[in-house]
Amino acid sequence: MRDGGRSAGFTLIETLVALVIFVAGYLLIYQSVSLGWRGAMAAHTEKEALRLARTRMASAGVETRLAEGQQSGQTSDGYTWTMNIRRYRQPDSDDGPAALAGFWVTVDVRWTEWALRRSRSLQLATLKLAVQP
């Protein structure tokens, strides 16, 4: 509004432009924070899945005997794990009975990311040795 050549306030156009700039800035910051939060949550779920897989793998041969087979279970927070144990066979081993036996231990952990509603998984595998009786 102009009152005798003096500025008495903002015009409607100036107010709308300021509002549009404010909303655009707000949306940009909101999207950045939201994306960062989703990334942090995904990292947290992957860390928990890796912890579970390492725990299950460490228990093979300690809490459970190393023998061919499959075990599975589910945690209270939605992770499903499967542990496969199979005997390692050397390709050219005709030396007779060995004092050590090898076993492939594979742990597969699956979960659903709540933010993205998609299924994720990770797998760890190692070769463990056991003394033959």
Side-chain angles (χ1 to χ4, degrees), residues 36-97:
W37 179 255
R38 275 187 263 151
M41 291 304 295
H44 175 72
T45 57
E46 287 179 11
K47 181 186 81 165
E48 287 299 313
L50 183 60
R51 183 195 58 77
L52 175 62
R54 284 181 174 171
T55 301
R56 293 284 82 202
M57 187 166 285
S59 72
V62 177
E63 293 176 6
T64 59
R65 194 171 72 86
L66 283 176
E68 289 188 284
Q70 181 179 28
Q71 299 175 2
S72 61
Q74 186 170 3
T75 64
S76 61
D77 48 352
Y79 295 93
T80 304
W81 59 271
T82 304
M83 181 168 57
N84 290 310
I85 300 175
R86 59 184 170 84
R87 192 172 192 81
Y88 173 74
R89 308 222 191 293
Q90 291 181 337
D92 53 353
S93 172
D94 294 335
D95 300 348

Coordinates of all heavy atoms in Angstrom, one line a residue, residues 36-97:
G36 N 17.4 -38.6 6.1 CA 18.4 -38.9 7.1 C 17.9 -39.9 8.1 O 18.6 -40.8 8.5
W37 N 16.6 -39.7 8.6 CA 16.0 -40.6 9.6 C 15.9 -42.0 9.0 O 16.2 -43.0 9.7 CB 14.7 -40.0 10.1 CG 14.0 -40.9 11.1 CD1 12.9 -41.7 10.8 CD2 14.4 -41.1 12.4 NE1 12.6 -42.4 12.0 CE2 13.5 -42.0 13.0 CE3 15.4 -40.6 13.2 CZ2 13.6 -42.4 14.3 CZ3 15.5 -41.0 14.5 CH2 14.6 -41.9 15.1
R38 N 15.4 -42.1 7.8 CA 15.2 -43.4 7.1 C 16.6 -44.1 7.0 O 16.7 -45.3 7.2 CB 14.5 -43.3 5.8 CG 13.0 -43.2 5.9 CD 12.4 -43.3 4.5 NE 12.1 -41.9 4.2 CZ 12.0 -41.4 3.0 NH1 12.2 -42.2 2.0 NH2 11.7 -40.1 2.8
G39 N 17.6 -43.3 6.6 CA 18.9 -43.9 6.5 C 19.5 -44.4 7.8 O 20.1 -45.5 7.9
A40 N 19.2 -43.7 8.9 CA 19.6 -44.1 10.2 C 18.9 -45.4 10.7 O 19.5 -46.3 11.2 CB 19.4 -43.0 11.2
M41 N 17.6 -45.4 10.4 CA 16.8 -46.6 10.7 C 17.3 -47.8 9.9 O 17.4 -48.9 10.5 CB 15.3 -46.4 10.5 CG 14.8 -45.4 11.5 SD 15.0 -45.8 13.2 CE 14.1 -47.3 13.4
A42 N 17.6 -47.7 8.7 CA 18.1 -48.8 7.8 C 19.4 -49.3 8.4 O 19.7 -50.5 8.4 CB 18.2 -48.3 6.4
A43 N 20.3 -48.3 8.7 CA 21.6 -48.7 9.3 C 21.4 -49.5 10.6 O 22.1 -50.4 10.9 CB 22.5 -47.5 9.5
H44 N 20.5 -49.0 11.4 CA 20.2 -49.7 12.7 C 19.7 -51.1 12.5 O 20.2 -52.1 13.1 CB 19.2 -48.9 13.5 CG 18.8 -49.6 14.8 ND1 19.7 -49.7 15.9 CD2 17.7 -50.2 15.1 CE1 19.1 -50.4 16.8 NE2 17.9 -50.7 16.4
T45 N 18.8 -51.3 11.5 CA 18.3 -52.7 11.3 C 19.3 -53.6 10.7 O 19.4 -54.8 11.1 CB 17.0 -52.7 10.4 OG1 17.4 -52.0 9.2 CG2 15.9 -51.9 11.1
E46 N 20.2 -53.0 9.8 CA 21.3 -53.9 9.3 C 22.3 -54.2 10.3 O 22.8 -55.4 10.4 CB 21.9 -53.1 8.1 CG 21.1 -53.1 6.9 CD 21.8 -52.3 5.8 OE1 23.0 -52.0 5.9 OE2 21.1 -52.0 4.8
K47 N 22.6 -53.3 11.2 CA 23.5 -53.6 12.3 C 23.0 -54.7 13.2 O 23.7 -55.6 13.6 CB 23.8 -52.3 13.1 CG 24.7 -52.5 14.3 CD 24.8 -51.3 15.1 CE 23.7 -51.3 16.0 NZ 23.7 -50.4 17.2
E48 N 21.7 -54.6 13.5 CA 21.1 -55.7 14.4 C 21.0 -57.0 13.7 O 21.3 -58.1 14.3 CB 19.6 -55.3 14.8 CG 19.6 -54.2 15.8 CD 20.3 -54.6 17.1 OE1 20.0 -55.6 17.6 OE2 21.1 -53.8 17.6
A49 N 20.8 -57.0 12.4 CA 20.8 -58.3 11.6 C 22.2 -58.9 11.6 O 22.4 -60.1 11.7 CB 20.3 -58.1 10.2
L50 N 23.2 -58.0 11.4 CA 24.6 -58.5 11.4 C 25.0 -59.0 12.8 O 25.7 -60.1 12.9 CB 25.5 -57.4 11.0 CG 27.0 -57.7 10.9 CD1 27.2 -58.8 9.8 CD2 27.8 -56.5 10.5
R51 N 24.5 -58.4 13.8 CA 24.8 -58.9 15.2 C 24.2 -60.2 15.4 O 24.8 -61.1 16.0 CB 24.3 -57.9 16.2 CG 24.6 -58.3 17.7 CD 23.7 -57.5 18.7 NE 22.3 -57.6 18.5 CZ 21.6 -58.7 18.8 NH1 22.2 -59.7 19.4 NH2 20.3 -58.7 18.6
L52 N 23.0 -60.4 14.9 CA 22.3 -61.7 15.1 C 23.0 -62.8 14.3 O 23.2 -63.9 14.8 CB 20.8 -61.6 14.6 CG 20.0 -62.9 14.6 CD1 19.9 -63.5 16.0 CD2 18.7 -62.7 14.0
A53 N 23.4 -62.5 13.1 CA 24.1 -63.5 12.2 C 25.5 -63.8 12.9 O 25.8 -65.0 12.9 CB 24.4 -62.9 10.8
R54 N 26.2 -62.9 13.4 CA 27.5 -63.2 14.1 C 27.3 -64.0 15.3 O 28.0 -64.9 15.6 CB 28.2 -61.9 14.4 CG 28.8 -61.2 13.2 CD 29.5 -59.9 13.7 NE 30.3 -59.3 12.6 CZ 30.8 -58.1 12.7 NH1 30.7 -57.4 13.8 NH2 31.5 -57.6 11.6
T55 N 26.2 -63.7 16.1 CA 25.9 -64.5 17.3 C 25.6 -65.9 16.9 O 26.1 -66.9 17.6 CB 24.8 -63.8 18.0 OG1 25.1 -62.5 18.4 CG2 24.4 -64.6 19.3
R56 N 24.8 -66.1 15.9 CA 24.4 -67.5 15.5 C 25.6 -68.2 15.0 O 25.8 -69.4 15.3 CB 23.3 -67.5 14.4 CG 22.0 -66.9 14.9 CD 21.2 -68.0 15.7 NE 21.6 -67.9 17.1 CZ 21.5 -68.9 18.0 NH1 20.9 -70.0 17.7 NH2 21.9 -68.8 19.2
M57 N 26.4 -67.6 14.2 CA 27.6 -68.2 13.7 C 28.6 -68.6 14.8 O 29.2 -69.7 14.8 CB 28.3 -67.3 12.7 CG 29.4 -68.0 11.9 SD 30.0 -67.1 10.5 CE 28.6 -67.4 9.4
A58 N 28.8 -67.7 15.8 CA 29.7 -68.0 16.9 C 29.2 -69.2 17.7 O 30.0 -69.9 18.3 CB 29.8 -66.8 17.8
S59 N 27.8 -69.4 17.8 CA 27.3 -70.4 18.6 C 27.5 -71.8 17.9 O 27.4 -72.8 18.6 CB 25.8 -70.2 18.9 OG 25.1 -70.4 17.7
A60 N 27.7 -71.9 16.6 CA 27.9 -73.1 15.9 C 29.2 -73.8 16.4 O 30.3 -73.2 16.3 CB 27.9 -72.9 14.4
G61 N 29.2 -74.9 16.9 CA 30.3 -75.6 17.4 C 30.6 -75.4 18.9 O 31.4 -76.0 19.5
V62 N 29.9 -74.4 19.5 CA 30.0 -74.1 20.9 C 28.8 -74.5 21.7 O 28.8 -75.3 22.5 CB 30.3 -72.6 21.1 CG1 30.4 -72.3 22.6 CG2 31.6 -72.2 20.4
E63 N 27.6 -73.8 21.3 CA 26.4 -74.2 21.9 C 25.7 -75.4 21.3 O 25.0 -76.1 21.9 CB 25.4 -73.0 21.8 CG 25.8 -71.8 22.6 CD 24.9 -70.6 22.4 OE1 23.9 -70.7 21.8 OE2 25.2 -69.5 23.0
T64 N 25.9 -75.5 20.0 CA 25.4 -76.7 19.2 C 26.6 -77.4 18.6 O 27.6 -76.8 18.2 CB 24.4 -76.2 18.1 OG1 25.1 -75.3 17.2 CG2 23.2 -75.5 18.7
R65 N 26.4 -78.7 18.4 CA 27.5 -79.5 17.9 C 27.5 -79.3 16.4 O 26.5 -79.1 15.7 CB 27.1 -81.0 18.1 CG 28.2 -82.0 17.9 CD 27.9 -83.3 18.4 NE 26.8 -84.0 17.6 CZ 27.1 -84.7 16.5 NH1 28.3 -84.9 16.1 NH2 26.1 -85.3 15.8
L66 N 28.7 -79.3 15.8 CA 28.9 -79.2 14.4 C 28.5 -80.5 13.7 O 29.2 -81.5 13.8 CB 30.3 -78.8 14.0 CG 30.7 -77.4 14.2 CD1 32.2 -77.2 13.9 CD2 29.9 -76.5 13.4
A67 N 27.3 -80.5 13.1 CA 26.8 -81.7 12.4 C 26.0 -81.2 11.3 O 25.3 -80.1 11.4 CB 26.0 -82.6 13.3
E68 N 25.9 -81.9 10.2 CA 25.1 -81.5 9.0 C 23.7 -81.3 9.4 O 23.1 -82.2 10.1 CB 25.3 -82.5 7.9 CG 26.7 -82.4 7.2 CD 26.7 -83.2 6.0 OE1 26.8 -84.5 6.1 OE2 26.7 -82.6 4.9
G69 N 23.1 -80.3 8.9 CA 21.7 -80.0 9.2 C 21.3 -78.5 9.1 O 22.1 -77.7 8.7
Q70 N 20.1 -78.2 9.5 CA 19.6 -76.9 9.4 C 18.9 -76.5 10.7 O 18.1 -77.3 11.2 CB 18.7 -76.7 8.2 CG 18.1 -75.3 8.0 CD 17.2 -75.2 6.8 OE1 16.6 -76.2 6.4 NE2 17.2 -74.0 6.2
Q71 N 19.1 -75.3 11.2 CA 18.4 -74.8 12.3 C 17.8 -73.4 11.9 O 18.4 -72.7 11.1 CB 19.3 -74.6 13.5 CG 20.0 -75.8 14.0 CD 21.0 -75.5 15.1 OE1 21.1 -74.4 15.5 NE2 21.6 -76.6 15.6
S72 N 16.7 -73.1 12.5 CA 16.1 -71.8 12.2 C 15.4 -71.3 13.4 O 15.1 -72.0 14.4 CB 15.2 -71.9 11.0 OG 14.1 -72.7 11.3
G73 N 15.1 -70.0 13.4 CA 14.4 -69.4 14.5 C 13.9 -67.9 14.2 O 14.3 -67.4 13.1
Q74 N 13.3 -67.3 15.1 CA 12.8 -66.0 14.9 C 13.0 -65.2 16.2 O 12.7 -65.7 17.2 CB 11.3 -65.9 14.4 CG 10.8 -64.6 14.1 CD 9.5 -64.6 13.4 OE1 8.9 -65.7 13.2 NE2 9.0 -63.4 13.0
T75 N 13.4 -63.9 16.1 CA 13.5 -63.1 17.2 C 12.2 -62.3 17.5 O 11.4 -62.2 16.6 CB 14.7 -62.1 17.1 OG1 14.4 -61.2 16.0 CG2 16.0 -62.8 16.8
S76 N 12.1 -61.8 18.7 CA 10.9 -61.0 19.0 C 10.8 -59.7 18.2 O 9.7 -59.2 18.1 CB 10.9 -60.7 20.5 OG 12.0 -59.9 20.9
D77 N 11.9 -59.2 17.7 CA 11.8 -58.0 16.9 C 11.7 -58.2 15.4 O 12.0 -57.2 14.7 CB 12.9 -57.0 17.3 CG 14.3 -57.7 17.3 OD1 14.4 -58.9 17.2 OD2 15.3 -57.0 17.5
G78 N 11.4 -59.4 15.0 CA 11.0 -59.6 13.6 C 12.1 -60.1 12.7 O 12.0 -60.2 11.5
Y79 N 13.3 -60.5 13.2 CA 14.3 -61.1 12.4 C 14.2 -62.6 12.3 O 13.9 -63.3 13.4 CB 15.7 -60.8 13.0 CG 16.0 -59.3 12.9 CD1 15.8 -58.5 14.0 CD2 16.6 -58.7 11.8 CE1 16.1 -57.1 14.0 CE2 16.9 -57.4 11.8 CZ 16.6 -56.6 12.9 OH 16.9 -55.3 12.8
T80 N 14.3 -63.2 11.2 CA 14.2 -64.6 11.0 C 15.6 -65.1 10.5 O 16.2 -64.6 9.6 CB 13.2 -65.0 9.9 OG1 11.9 -64.4 10.3 CG2 13.0 -66.5 9.8
W81 N 16.1 -66.1 11.2 CA 17.4 -66.6 10.9 C 17.4 -68.1 10.5 O 16.5 -68.9 11.0 CB 18.4 -66.4 12.0 CG 18.1 -67.0 13.3 CD1 17.3 -66.5 14.3 CD2 18.4 -68.3 13.7 NE1 17.2 -67.4 15.3 CE2 17.8 -68.5 15.0 CE3 19.2 -69.4 13.2 CZ2 18.0 -69.7 15.7 CZ3 19.3 -70.5 13.9 CH2 18.7 -70.7 15.2
T82 N 18.3 -68.5 9.7 CA 18.4 -69.9 9.3 C 19.9 -70.2 9.2 O 20.7 -69.5 8.6 CB 17.8 -70.2 7.9 OG1 16.5 -69.8 7.9 CG2 17.9 -71.6 7.5
M83 N 20.3 -71.3 9.9 CA 21.7 -71.7 9.9 C 21.8 -73.1 9.2 O 21.2 -74.0 9.7 CB 22.3 -71.8 11.3 CG 23.7 -72.2 11.4 SD 24.5 -71.9 13.0 CE 23.5 -72.8 14.1
N84 N 22.6 -73.1 8.2 CA 22.9 -74.4 7.5 C 24.3 -74.8 7.8 O 25.2 -74.1 7.7 CB 22.7 -74.2 6.0 CG 21.3 -74.0 5.6 OD1 20.4 -74.8 6.0 ND2 21.0 -73.0 4.8
I85 N 24.4 -76.1 8.1 CA 25.8 -76.7 8.4 C 25.9 -77.9 7.4 O 25.1 -78.8 7.4 CB 25.9 -77.1 9.8 CG1 25.7 -75.9 10.8 CG2 27.3 -77.8 10.0 CD1 25.8 -76.3 12.2
R86 N 27.0 -77.8 6.6 CA 27.2 -79.0 5.7 C 28.7 -79.3 5.8 O 29.6 -78.4 6.0 CB 26.8 -78.7 4.3 CG 27.4 -77.5 3.6 CD 26.7 -77.3 2.2 NE 27.2 -76.1 1.7 CZ 28.3 -75.9 1.1 NH1 29.1 -76.9 0.8 NH2 28.6 -74.7 0.6
R87 N 29.0 -80.6 5.6 CA 30.4 -81.0 5.7 C 31.2 -80.6 4.6 O 30.8 -80.5 3.4 CB 30.4 -82.6 5.8 CG 31.7 -83.1 6.2 CD 31.5 -84.6 6.4 NE 32.6 -85.2 7.0 CZ 32.9 -85.2 8.3 NH1 32.1 -84.6 9.1 NH2 34.0 -85.8 8.8
Y88 N 32.4 -80.2 4.9 CA 33.4 -79.8 3.8 C 34.1 -81.0 3.3 O 34.6 -81.8 4.1 CB 34.4 -78.8 4.4 CG 35.6 -78.5 3.4 CD1 35.4 -77.7 2.4 CD2 36.8 -79.1 3.6 CE1 36.4 -77.4 1.5 CE2 37.8 -78.8 2.8 CZ 37.6 -77.9 1.7 OH 38.7 -77.7 0.8
R89 N 34.0 -81.2 2.0 CA 34.6 -82.4 1.4 C 35.8 -82.0 0.6 O 35.7 -81.2 -0.3 CB 33.6 -83.1 0.5 CG 32.3 -83.4 1.3 CD 31.8 -84.8 1.0 NE 30.5 -85.1 1.4 CZ 30.1 -85.1 2.7 NH1 30.9 -84.9 3.7 NH2 28.9 -85.4 3.0
Q90 N 37.0 -82.5 0.9 CA 38.2 -82.2 0.1 C 38.1 -82.9 -1.2 O 37.8 -84.1 -1.2 CB 39.4 -82.5 0.9 CG 39.7 -81.7 2.1 CD 40.9 -82.0 2.8 OE1 41.4 -83.1 2.7 NE2 41.5 -81.1 3.5
P91 N 38.4 -82.3 -2.3 CA 38.3 -82.9 -3.6 C 39.2 -84.1 -3.8 O 38.8 -85.1 -4.4 CB 38.7 -81.8 -4.6 CG 39.0 -80.6 -3.8 CD 38.9 -80.9 -2.4
D92 N 40.4 -84.1 -3.3 CA 41.3 -85.3 -3.5 C 41.9 -85.7 -2.2 O 43.1 -85.7 -2.0 CB 42.4 -84.9 -4.5 CG 43.1 -83.6 -4.1 OD1 42.7 -83.0 -3.1 OD2 44.1 -83.2 -4.7
S93 N 41.0 -86.2 -1.4 CA 41.4 -86.6 0.0 C 41.2 -88.1 0.1 O 40.2 -88.6 0.4 CB 40.6 -85.9 1.0 OG 40.9 -86.4 2.3
D94 N 42.3 -88.9 -0.2 CA 42.2 -90.4 0.0 C 43.2 -90.8 1.1 O 43.8 -91.9 1.0 CB 42.5 -91.1 -1.3 CG 41.5 -90.8 -2.4 OD1 40.3 -90.5 -1.9 OD2 41.8 -90.9 -3.6
D95 N 43.5 -89.9 2.0 CA 44.5 -90.2 3.0 C 44.0 -91.1 4.2 O 44.7 -91.4 5.1 CB 45.1 -88.9 3.6 CG 45.7 -88.0 2.5 OD1 45.9 -88.5 1.4 OD2 45.9 -86.8 2.8
G96 N 42.7 -91.4 4.2 CA 42.1 -92.1 5.3 C 41.4 -91.1 6.2 O 41.2 -90.0 5.9
P97 N 41.1 -91.6 7.4 CA 40.4 -90.7 8.3 C 41.3 -89.6 8.8 O 42.4 -89.8 9.2 CB 39.9 -91.6 9.5 CG 40.8 -92.8 9.3 CD 41.3 -92.9 7.9

